[in-house]
Amino acid sequence: MDGKFAVIDYVILVAYLLLILYIGIAVAKKEMKGKEFFKGDGSIPWWVTSVSLFATLLSPISFLSLAGNSYLGNWQLWAGQIGLFIAVPVAIHFFLPVYRNLNIDTAYEYLEMRFGKGLRIMGSSLFIIYQVGRMSIIMYLPALALSAVTGIHTVVIILFMGVIATIYSSIGGIKSVLWTDFIQGIVLIGGGVFALIVLIVSVKGGFPEIIKVGVQDNKFFSEAVIFDPNIFNDSLFIIFLGAGLSTLFSYISSQDMVQRYLTTTDLKQMNKMTIMNGVLSFGTATLFFFIGTSLYVFYKQAGGDMPDGAKDLIFANFIVTELPAGISGLLIAGLFAAGQSTLSTGLNSVATSWTLDIQKVLRPDMTDEKGTKIAKFVSIIVGVLSIIFAIVLAYSNVTSAYEWFNGLMGLVLGIIGGTFTLGVLTKRANTKGAIAGFIVTSLIAIYVSYFTDTTLWAYSLINLVSSLVFGYLFSLLFKGKSKAEDSSAQLTYYDQPKGL
């Protein structure tokens, strides 16, 4: 095969993208305004929201980088998926009950209730910066893959992807985003399962042979360091811990994730969302790691030179060169649309955070209609900025988008998540102490990231410890009364009714 799309692949690609665009516009049925634009109209099933949580966290990064990492290396990064066993129970037990009882509109509204308007604006601003970077890589990855297999210039694909996502996210708000995320999540899982079945059937000896060769060639864990006393070095333990904390911080402090929880005030539904998302994330990540190992055995049996190059292109090349015409078009379309879906999620969450956490705080008298207009305008502006950064990223030398993204997530969300943890798990922490701790932690995070060789998997742990230690010590030093000391405020885990 020449590795290029057949006519039917192009037809499927275009038809699929148009269908997603139609669904994204049509699902809302009416124009969403005010809280409906940001939180939905109460008609979204919990299982749709749960799959959306899953699609938001993994998206095209799973399709490409996880398989590429295990193909060229081993399963060392899979240890990060076990971190879900930290993130899920901690989020359910300590944080979600607080959010449910306060009935907040955004994640960062909690920071205002607990520590004041200043931290709400600071946390929201940092999230927006993080999300623009995340959206850029979500466009960059699929664009690279599609460019390699279709011949269309990467920049053209990035522009096309950004425009479509911006259209339906600005029209239907969170409801359109959740339903399109749901479809993309199903396509993502289905495409991965189909590709793995093809690989297992294609390998002589099937599943047992893949396991045998993987063990013989050290494609699993045999050469990985389980624990290093210096936790700032790579090991399975620090990957597990760092990824677990990063995922936890996503659940509890990233607006795109918390916004999904806020579509309901039912704690049981929140818990079911989190558990189902954990199961889907763990299972799908394992699926794509195994796809990478299967690709290795497949190409080894085929003889000749083993494919190499960028980790993020290995799986995409297999889809186009080895799968039948039509099937490859559908899988690449799913990859493309999954990127669009996650992009629309980012646009909506940034628009929500900017409008409610910054504009509404500075202008409390702003009407719902005015807020909705601002949110739609912000979606367009942020979409343009993300496109620009994605183009810059396409011309840079990023060897593994998955690791780059986790580093960014650990750096930014670790700072914000540490502040949320300080607020929920302590009663003495006050406004002055939290702000001082936030600033010091930010400086430490910048130093660790840019001036040391510390593994990126340790960022979340460093930021969490810094937030708790400095935030609490400064609170004791400055002495001011904590809002959580008011027994009627119910701002911490300790104030929540137990046994619910």
Side-chain angles (χ1 to χ4, degrees):
M1 299 182 185
D2 61 6
K4 297 298 181 182
F5 267 14
V7 173
I8 189 174
D9 291 317
Y10 284 105
V11 171
I12 290 174
L13 175 61
V14 173
Y16 189 79
L17 295 179
L18 290 177
L19 174 64
I20 292 300
L21 178 60
Y22 169 76
I23 292 173
I25 294 174
V27 71
K29 294 184 179 179
K30 63 178 181 178
E31 184 179 6
M32 294 288 166
K33 295 181 180 180
K35 288 193 176 183
E36 284 188 351
F37 184 87
F38 303 118
K39 298 178 68 173
D41 56 6
S43 65
I44 306 166
W46 70 267
W47 41 270
V48 170
T49 308
S50 182
V51 175
S52 178
L53 281 167
F54 152 76
T56 297
L57 271 178
L58 296 180
S59 66
I61 295 176
S62 300
F63 234 113
L64 301 177
S65 290
L66 298 184
N69 270 293
S70 61
Y71 169 84
L72 292 174
N74 54 38
W75 280 46
Q76 178 172 311
L77 294 182
W78 181 84
Q81 305 309 313
I82 311 177
L84 285 162
F85 291 99
I86 295 176
V88 171
V90 171
I92 287 175
H93 186 70
F94 292 102
F95 293 88
L96 296 189
V98 178
Y99 298 163
R100 187 278 308 268
N101 287 339
L102 294 176
N103 194 25
I104 53 180
D105 289 330
T106 74
Y108 309 111
E109 184 178 357
Y110 173 78
L111 291 183
E112 178 181 356
M113 299 173 79
R114 182 68 176 85
F115 296 122
K117 293 180 181 180
L119 257 183
R120 180 177 186 176
I121 293 175
M122 291 166 66
S124 175
S125 300
L126 197 57
F127 164 76
I128 290 172
I129 295 171
Y130 152 75
Q131 194 60 254
V132 170
R134 182 176 192 271
M135 287 187 290
S136 299
I137 202 168
I138 291 302
M139 281 188 284
Y140 155 72
L141 269 177
L144 265 186
L146 283 168
S147 178
V149 299
T150 65
I152 303 173
H153 197 282
T154 304
V155 173
V156 174
I157 297 174
I158 289 173
L159 290 170
F160 186 63
M161 186 183 302
V163 169
I164 291 181
T166 301
I167 290 174
Y168 68 77
S169 63
S170 64
I171 292 177
I174 188 62
K175 188 173 182 180
S176 291
V177 170
L178 289 177
W179 276 104
T180 50
D181 272 0
F182 174 76
I183 295 171
Q184 306 319 325
I186 298 301
V187 171
L188 183 70
I189 296 171
V193 170
F194 180 84
L196 180 58
I197 291 173
V198 171
L199 277 165
I200 292 175
V201 171
S202 301
V203 168
K204 296 177 183 178
F207 182 82
E209 182 67 14
I210 294 172
I211 298 296
K212 177 183 175 182
V213 175
V215 172
Q216 288 177 348
D217 293 2
N218 298 320
K219 300 302 291 183
F220 292 107
F221 301 103
S222 56
E223 294 184 343
V225 176
I226 296 176
F227 178 78
D228 190 319
N230 182 351
I231 63 170
F232 301 136
N233 293 332
D234 276 328
S235 69
L236 294 181
F237 172 77
I238 195 60
I239 292 173
F240 153 74
L241 183 59
L245 290 176
S246 291
T247 303
L248 172 65
F249 293 156
S250 292
Y251 285 161
I252 68 173
S253 65
S254 183
Q255 172 60 19
D256 54 343
M257 302 294 284
V258 175
Q259 188 175 10
R260 281 149 176 72
Y261 290 123
L262 300 183
T263 59
T264 180
T265 57
D266 188 322
L267 183 59
K268 290 184 178 179
Q269 288 195 8
M270 289 182 178
N271 292 344
K272 286 191 289 187
M273 289 178 198
T274 309
I275 293 171
M276 184 175 176
N277 169 67
V279 171
L280 289 173
S281 298
F282 182 82
T284 305
T286 303
L287 167 70
F288 283 103
F289 270 101
F290 197 76
I291 284 174
T293 304
S294 301
L295 284 169
Y296 172 83
V297 178
F298 171 81
Y299 284 120
K300 185 175 182 179
Q301 286 188 352
D305 294 333
M306 296 280 285
D308 55 11
K311 297 178 182 179
D312 308 318
L313 293 179
I314 298 294
F315 186 36
N317 287 331
F318 168 81
I319 290 173
V320 175
T321 58
E322 302 295 339
L323 297 182
I327 298 298
S328 58
L330 183 60
L331 290 182
I332 292 296
L335 168 63
F336 189 95
Q340 283 186 310
S341 178
T342 311
L343 173 61
S344 67
T345 293
L347 291 173
N348 185 266
S349 62
V350 167
T352 300
S353 194
W354 174 269
T355 304
L356 299 183
D357 293 318
I358 297 178
Q359 288 286 317
K360 187 76 172 177
V361 170
L362 298 177
R363 297 173 54 192
D365 59 341
M366 184 176 67
T367 63
D368 286 345
E369 183 177 358
K370 180 67 174 178
T372 305
K373 289 181 179 179
I374 290 175
K376 292 182 177 182
F377 176 73
V378 170
S379 292
I380 296 173
I381 297 299
V382 173
V384 171
L385 287 175
S386 299
I387 289 170
I388 292 173
F389 286 128
I391 293 172
V392 171
L393 196 59
Y395 286 102
S396 65
N397 183 26
V398 180
T399 56
S400 175
Y402 178 69
E403 294 177 55
W404 183 91
F405 168 68
N406 273 282
L408 176 67
M409 186 165 70
L411 176 64
V412 176
L413 290 187
I415 300 170
I416 304 175
T419 305
F420 273 82
T421 305
L422 177 71
V424 171
L425 296 186
T426 72
K427 294 181 75 72
R428 291 287 302 275
N430 57 35
T431 300
K432 291 180 180 179
I435 292 176
F438 187 95
I439 294 172
V440 171
T441 299
S442 299
L443 294 175
I444 291 174
I446 293 171
Y447 172 77
V448 169
S449 177
Y450 295 103
F451 299 100
T452 72
D453 295 326
T454 302
T455 175
L456 60 86
W457 300 102
Y459 291 175
S460 293
L461 177 62
I462 293 171
N463 291 339
L464 173 62
V465 173
S466 298
S467 295
L468 292 175
V469 171
F470 289 106
Y472 201 82
L473 288 178
F474 280 124
S475 294
L476 296 178
L477 179 64
F478 294 136
K479 293 184 178 179
K481 184 179 180 181
S482 167
K483 292 185 178 183
E485 291 178 320
D486 181 350
S487 60
S488 64
Q490 295 191 326
L491 294 171
T492 73
Y493 160 74
Y494 312 104
D495 304 315
Q496 307 310 309
K498 301 301 185 287
L500 293 181

